[in-house]
Amino acid sequence: MIKNWLHLFVFNLKQNKLFTTLNVLGLSIGMAGLIFAILYWNDEQSYDAWNPAKDQVFVSINAVAKDEYWSTNVAPLDSYFKKDFPELETHCYFDNWYNNEMVHYQGKKELLKIIDAQGTFFACFPFQFIYGTPQSAIKDASCIALSEKAAKKLFGAQNPMGKEVVYSGKKLTVSGVYNIPGKSSMAPEAVTHLIENRMESDQDNWGNFSYGLMLKLKNPADKNQVMQRIEKLMYEHRVLKWAKEEGITPEEWLKKNGGDLFHSQLQPLSEIRLHAIAECMAEGKGNYQFLLIMVGLSVLILVLSIVNYVNMATASAIKRAKEVGVRKIIGASKANIIGQFIFETSLITAFSLLMSLVIVELSLPYYNEFLGKELIIHGSQFYGQLLLVFLVTIAVSGIFPALYVSNFETLKVLKGNFGRSKSGVWLRNSMLVLQFAIATFFIIGSYIVYEQIKFISARDLGFKGGQVLVIDYRNKYDWHEPDYQQKMFNRYQLVSSELRKIKGVSQVASGAFNFGSANGSTSSFAYHDNNIQGRNMGVDFGMLEMMNIQIKQGRGLSNQFASDTINSMLINETALKMMNEPNPIGKEIQWNGHQLKIVGVVKDFNLFGPQEEVPPMVFFHFKTIDWMINNVNKMYVKIDADHPEETIERLRKFWSKNVDTEYPFTYDFVDKAYARTYENYVKQRNLFSLLNVIVILIALFGLFALATFSIERRMKEIAIRKTLGADTSVLLKTLSKQYVVFCLTGFALALFPVYYLLDMWLDNFAFRIEISLVPFVVGFVVLLILTLLVVLSRAYQATRVDVLKYLKYE
């Protein structure tokens, strides 16, 4: 039986080469798109999946200042965790970012990703230890634990245990070597235990949020109790304490400061990669929305491919009606007919799956570059998902056509009356309408996404970063040293003055902030009844001018005014609106114990990214608030447009010789670095555009095949009409008008979904376009033109044939 089915399959394959090719190509593209999405999905879902404590370890994320979320915690809670929280198995304060620092060993040095943490870090991230144990790896400040990769870099094949390395001027002993068994939200190359000294100095500072915190609960169900107790402690040591110090009631303090609004969130490690309310781990936060978009669109394309297949399968099945009738006459059962057609679908699907894997394998390097990942095709989970895709595709695309064919009425088929049946026509037309609806969704969606990205890209940012280099700058001094902040400032000034002497350099300045980054500090200040949580923007003279940031009122900071390094400050337009002060110049503000006078208002500019809202900002010189020099980790250098390569090379030589002899000279252009803040949305635009092309191609495959089949079925009618004198234009109109109706119907079906989903997507942006009629008009026109091109080209060929060929048998 199988042999007979195989012979019939090969015979029909030869008779329908075009339909089969389009079927295989459509299914291959559809399955390839879904495989790409599965690889991305598996990679994102695999973060921390290896960790047996992933549902027991919670990351603490605090909200202060009108629900602005911070991924940091205060140090004083440490002592309370040790004695007043019986629900905890353990806890761990840690740096939730990487320090990219050099580690030295006997003349060899390696730049490693290092985190500083308490000794309980490996209880929360139980990496596999090759040497040492999790308990002893970072037991005190003299220890360092290395990843297997880092150990090989430094020690080669030697056993690193007990060997001494130098890190940040300190001698540390290697006490453990670990291997990270899978994707991890924290994947350091080295872990140290130097955090305790910093925490000791912050034991009474309930307003300094500077540490990551993980809590390992004995019972995850106790999460809410722990959160409530943290909030209670914070209220007691913040609101009650500070109100008492000011001699006012807690209610008065809350009113004066706009409400403390502190509350804690505990999120399990298993959710932190894709569902964290803030980016709170060194490996960053996954883009869950982008992941869902990619998976959703990929599934939609596969649905389109399957619909395409079913449409062409039911159309081509009519050619095999007599074959089915004869098989039924000689004894074939309905189940036998169904089995035969499912078998044929299985062969086509299997070949399409192999083709899709070839497409994926060839395209994977470009896909990895697109996502910034290193995905590979492997794993039992992936092969299981692949098998599921294969079976579902067969079930959806094979069973329905098989049932349709098996229900052919034998007598009608053998008499040649099957063509009068309307059930098959109704099915094919409905699926063609669905294809038009999906194509409409992609065309209109692609247009809207393109316009939004174009809008934020072209929007006035409020600054200009062209020809401005941002250079990584390290200005470390031991904070125990006397006058260490003055030493930091003196070194910064020395480096700045030397940079200005380099040929091709026109301006040099810096700020305690980075364009395109939310890192930095914030502080609140009250003005009348308004409490404002502003971004602290410590700057050097000339920084705002170099970046072409405009002053709307008053003046900027200048070295011509002695007060500008003592008590002067600037605010931005957003802060001014929140202050509700029509004449801000000369007004004084109490800011963190400093009495500062407003001398100017800065025009709003987008610090974090063009898709984000502009926060309130306060500006002052480094000398005014001396601790802000601690946050300077970038130098901004404006170079001349002529011969930039030579200028950058001169900067490199000077930097490597005089500024930082250990670390590589790393730089970027401000505008390029800033563009990466909305890179994910650019990727979504590119993805939509690529999938739009694929969808249109698949839809055109189906339309071409169906139009070809439909016109072939009507060739006798066309021949008779031509014999009776019908004009070519009349024939073209007759043959194409039904497809115009299908196009209109599909377009109408897609209107609400595309408007609703794209409007939801646009809500991600603080600055967004409004959806107008233009995308819908463009979408309809494009769809109609493509439809008419395909249908009319096939119809025109049909009107040019020799009519005698179709009339000579009458």
Side-chain angles (χ1 to χ4, degrees):
M1 182 178 67
I2 298 295
K3 185 177 179 181
N4 178 253
W5 287 355
L6 197 57
H7 282 305
L8 286 171
F9 173 73
V10 173
F11 173 78
N12 285 293
L13 195 68
K14 292 177 180 178
Q15 298 298 312
N16 298 283
K17 295 185 183 71
L18 176 63
F19 277 26
T20 304
T21 301
L22 293 177
N23 270 332
V24 169
L25 193 56
L27 281 176
S28 298
I29 293 173
M31 285 193 282
L34 188 56
I35 289 171
F36 278 129
I38 288 172
L39 290 173
Y40 181 29
W41 176 272
N42 289 347
D43 182 78
E44 288 295 318
Q45 294 289 342
S46 69
Y47 275 84
D48 301 312
W50 58 269
N51 191 338
K54 61 182 179 296
D55 294 315
Q56 196 180 352
V57 175
F58 290 81
V59 180
S60 177
I61 304 173
N62 295 330
V64 292
K66 297 184 179 178
D67 286 340
E68 182 178 354
Y69 276 98
W70 297 85
S71 57
T72 49
N73 292 266
V74 293
L77 286 170
D78 183 55
S79 58
Y80 291 91
F81 289 142
K82 293 173 181 176
K83 60 180 182 179
D84 295 332
F85 283 76
E87 300 89 351
L88 296 185
E89 182 177 315
T90 189
H91 73 280
C92 178
Y93 275 95
F94 68 109
D95 289 339
N96 52 7
W97 67 90
Y98 293 135
N99 290 303
N100 292 299
E101 301 288 347
M102 288 290 184
V103 175
H104 299 254
Y105 175 70
Q106 293 185 353
K108 185 185 290 186
K109 61 181 181 180
E110 291 292 339
L111 185 65
L112 302 180
K113 297 187 300 184
I114 303 171
I115 66 163
D116 195 15
Q118 289 184 308
T120 51
F121 177 80
F122 294 113
C124 298
F125 283 94
F127 299 152
Q128 297 171 352
F129 270 77
I130 301 167
Y131 298 106
T133 65
Q135 295 77 21
S136 62
I138 50 171
K139 60 184 178 182
D140 56 44
S142 67
C143 299
I144 184 171
L146 299 174
S147 70
E148 183 181 19
K149 182 179 177 182
K152 285 181 179 178
K153 287 180 181 178
L154 285 166
F155 303 101
Q158 299 179 58
N159 183 340
M161 290 295 287
K163 291 188 167 54
E164 203 170 65
V165 298
V166 177
Y167 161 59
S168 193
K170 301 176 180 67
K171 292 182 179 180
L172 303 177
T173 302
V174 178
S175 302
V177 176
Y178 58 84
N179 178 52
I180 302 175
K183 293 278 185 178
S184 177
S185 52
M186 293 295 292
E189 293 176 296
V191 184
T192 61
H193 189 174
L194 305 173
I195 198 170
E196 299 289 355
N197 289 335
R198 284 190 287 139
M199 291 179 62
E200 284 177 14
S201 67
D202 285 330
Q203 277 308 303
D204 294 321
N205 192 344
W206 290 85
N208 181 9
F209 290 78
S210 9
Y211 305 90
L213 174 63
M214 291 181 289
L215 304 174
K216 189 174 183 181
L217 273 60
K218 296 174 183 176
N219 182 0
D222 293 333
K223 178 185 75 170
N224 291 334
Q225 293 175 236
V226 173
M227 283 167 46
Q228 291 169 7
R229 201 167 307 141
I230 290 174
E231 290 175 359
K232 182 181 178 182
L233 281 170
M234 294 297 289
Y235 179 80
E236 290 173 353
H237 290 276
R238 285 167 60 85
V239 177
L240 295 184
K241 179 182 175 182
W242 294 343
K244 185 178 180 181
E245 288 175 355
E246 294 184 32
I248 57 179
T249 66
E251 292 75 19
E252 290 171 334
W253 187 93
L254 287 170
K255 183 178 180 181
K256 174 184 174 183
N257 291 279
D260 187 46
L261 293 176
F262 175 92
H263 65 268
S264 177
Q265 289 284 330
L266 297 181
Q267 287 196 273
L269 207 55
S270 56
E271 297 178 2
I272 214 69
R273 171 67 182 182
L274 291 174
H275 305 288
I277 53 179
E279 190 168 306
C280 53
M281 289 299 200
E283 288 296 312
K285 181 184 173 186
N287 191 332
Y288 188 60
Q289 184 193 61
F290 184 47
L291 179 61
L292 288 182
I293 288 173
M294 178 168 282
V295 172
L297 296 183
S298 299
V299 169
L300 201 59
I301 289 177
L302 183 59
V303 168
L304 179 65
S305 302
I306 292 173
V307 166
N308 207 36
Y309 177 86
V310 172
N311 218 349
M312 287 192 278
T314 54
S316 60
I318 296 175
K319 292 183 178 181
R320 302 177 63 181
K322 287 186 178 180
E323 174 200 326
V324 174
V326 170
R327 287 178 65 82
K328 282 188 172 184
I329 288 293
I330 62 176
S333 66
K334 186 175 180 180
N336 186 269
I337 300 296
I338 291 173
Q340 176 193 349
F341 278 85
I342 290 179
F343 172 75
E344 293 181 2
T345 300
S346 300
L347 291 178
I348 291 174
T349 304
F351 188 71
S352 300
L353 183 60
L354 290 174
M355 284 280 293
S356 69
L357 288 171
V358 171
I359 294 171
V360 170
E361 187 65 36
L362 293 174
S363 307
L364 200 53
Y366 306 101
Y367 185 64
N368 281 332
E369 184 180 353
F370 172 71
L371 291 177
K373 288 183 172 290
E374 296 180 1
L375 305 178
I376 55 175
I377 300 176
H378 74 97
S380 57
Q381 180 190 21
F382 171 73
Y383 294 120
Q385 292 164 331
L386 206 61
L387 178 62
L388 181 63
V389 171
F390 176 69
L391 294 176
V392 169
T393 303
I394 291 173
V396 178
S397 62
I399 291 177
F400 196 85
L403 288 172
Y404 170 69
V405 171
S406 67
N407 284 320
F408 287 169
E409 295 182 31
T410 306
L411 291 178
K412 282 189 176 183
V413 166
L414 295 178
K415 286 179 180 180
N417 295 328
F418 181 75
R420 297 191 184 105
S421 173
K422 295 185 181 295
S423 59
V425 175
W426 174 252
L427 171 68
R428 289 191 298 277
N429 291 347
S430 299
M431 291 195 171
L432 187 60
V433 168
L434 179 59
Q435 285 182 308
F436 279 124
I438 294 174
T440 298
F441 177 88
F442 275 89
I443 294 171
I444 296 174
S446 182
Y447 186 94
I448 293 172
V449 171
Y450 174 82
E451 286 297 309
Q452 174 61 25
I453 302 304
K454 179 183 174 183
F455 172 74
I456 64 172
S457 301
R459 188 175 176 275
D460 181 16
L461 302 173
F463 71 91
K464 294 180 181 178
Q467 299 304 125
V468 177
L469 297 179
V470 53
I471 304 172
D472 288 342
Y473 173 66
R474 298 170 189 271
N475 191 17
K476 291 195 171 181
Y477 277 88
D478 189 341
W479 57 277
H480 290 104
E481 284 188 32
D483 300 323
Y484 80 99
Q485 288 172 339
Q486 183 61 48
K487 292 176 182 177
M488 292 175 76
F489 183 71
N490 292 342
R491 181 172 184 267
Y492 161 76
Q493 283 197 311
L494 177 62
V495 173
S496 299
S497 63
E498 292 300 316
L499 288 174
R500 293 187 183 95
K501 297 175 185 177
I502 295 175
K503 183 180 178 182
V505 172
S506 57
Q507 289 175 279
V508 179
S510 191
F513 54 89
N514 299 325
F515 289 93
S517 171
N519 293 333
S521 67
T522 70
S523 298
S524 63
F525 66 90
Y527 185 77
H528 295 167
D529 293 329
N530 299 315
N531 188 72
I532 300 162
Q533 187 77 17
R535 298 288 303 190
N536 299 326
M537 311 290 283
V539 294
D540 188 12
F541 293 129
M543 178 65 187
L544 301 182
E545 290 77 7
M546 182 176 72
M547 299 304 299
N548 288 300
I549 297 171
Q550 298 180 20
I551 304 296
K552 295 294 288 184
Q553 295 184 42
R555 61 174 179 83
L557 299 176
S558 170
N559 57 10
Q560 297 180 6
F561 298 90
S563 60
D564 283 2
T565 58
I566 301 172
N567 65 348
S568 295
M569 69 178 292
L570 307 173
I571 59 173
N572 71 341
E573 292 176 298
T574 300
L576 178 61
K577 290 174 187 174
M578 297 174 73
M579 289 171 60
N580 195 26
E581 172 57 63
N583 301 303
I585 307 303
K587 298 296 187 296
E588 292 189 346
I589 289 175
Q590 284 285 341
W591 182 93
N592 270 7
H594 297 265
Q595 188 83 10
L596 302 179
K597 182 187 293 185
I598 298 174
V599 297
V601 177
V602 177
K603 182 181 178 182
D604 279 347
F605 63 93
N606 288 92
L607 178 65
F608 305 147
Q611 73 277 15
E612 303 287 348
E613 292 183 359
V614 178
M617 301 177 184
V618 293
F619 302 80
F620 30 69
H621 191 265
F622 293 134
K623 284 190 174 181
T624 305
I625 310 296
D626 56 2
W627 59 263
M628 288 302 295
I629 194 68
N630 299 356
N631 294 341
V632 175
N633 56 19
K634 305 286 183 184
M635 296 278 283
Y636 293 86
V637 179
K638 188 164 187 175
I639 62 175
D640 297 334
D642 298 330
H643 311 295
E645 295 86 359
E646 290 87 339
T647 303
I648 292 172
E649 186 57 33
R650 285 190 284 268
L651 283 167
R652 186 193 308 276
K653 289 179 179 178
F654 169 78
W655 199 273
S656 301
K657 183 179 179 181
N658 301 289
V659 181
D660 208 329
T661 57
E662 280 202 349
Y663 294 88
F665 175 75
T666 52
Y667 73 94
D668 204 347
F669 283 93
V670 170
D671 50 357
K672 292 181 180 178
Y674 189 80
R676 287 193 283 274
T677 62
Y678 56 95
E679 186 177 25
N680 280 330
Y681 294 108
V682 174
K683 286 180 180 179
Q684 291 180 30
R685 179 200 65 189
N686 296 340
L687 174 68
F688 228 120
S689 300
L690 175 62
L691 296 183
N692 187 35
V693 172
I694 292 171
V695 164
I696 290 173
L697 283 175
I698 294 174
L700 290 181
F701 290 163
L703 182 60
F704 177 83
L706 201 60
T708 300
F709 172 80
S710 177
I711 290 169
E712 284 178 357
R713 296 280 296 168
R714 299 179 65 179
M715 284 307 300
K716 198 171 288 185
E717 174 194 339
I718 293 169
I720 293 171
R721 284 174 176 269
K722 285 193 69 176
T723 302
L724 296 175
D727 189 64
T728 299
S729 60
V730 174
L731 289 174
L732 292 177
K733 181 179 178 182
T734 302
L735 293 171
S736 62
K737 66 181 181 181
Q738 65 171 328
Y739 293 99
V740 174
V741 173
F742 296 153
C743 179
L744 278 167
T745 307
F747 176 80
L749 284 175
L751 288 181
F752 175 74
V754 72
Y755 179 87
Y756 176 77
L757 293 174
L758 268 297
D759 189 64
M760 189 188 305
W761 179 80
L762 287 171
D763 285 339
N764 289 305
F765 299 87
F767 304 95
R768 51 162 286 181
I769 62 171
E770 293 301 323
I771 299 178
S772 65
L773 286 175
V774 175
F776 299 94
V777 173
V778 170
F780 176 70
V781 170
V782 169
L783 194 65
L784 186 61
I785 289 174
L786 291 174
T787 301
L788 291 176
L789 280 175
V790 173
V791 175
L792 291 178
S793 65
R794 299 301 297 150
Y796 183 75
Q797 290 177 10
T799 62
R800 312 311 296 169
V801 300
D802 182 6
V803 295
L804 293 177
K805 177 181 177 182
Y806 295 92
L807 297 177
K808 61 184 178 181
Y809 296 110
E810 294 297 319

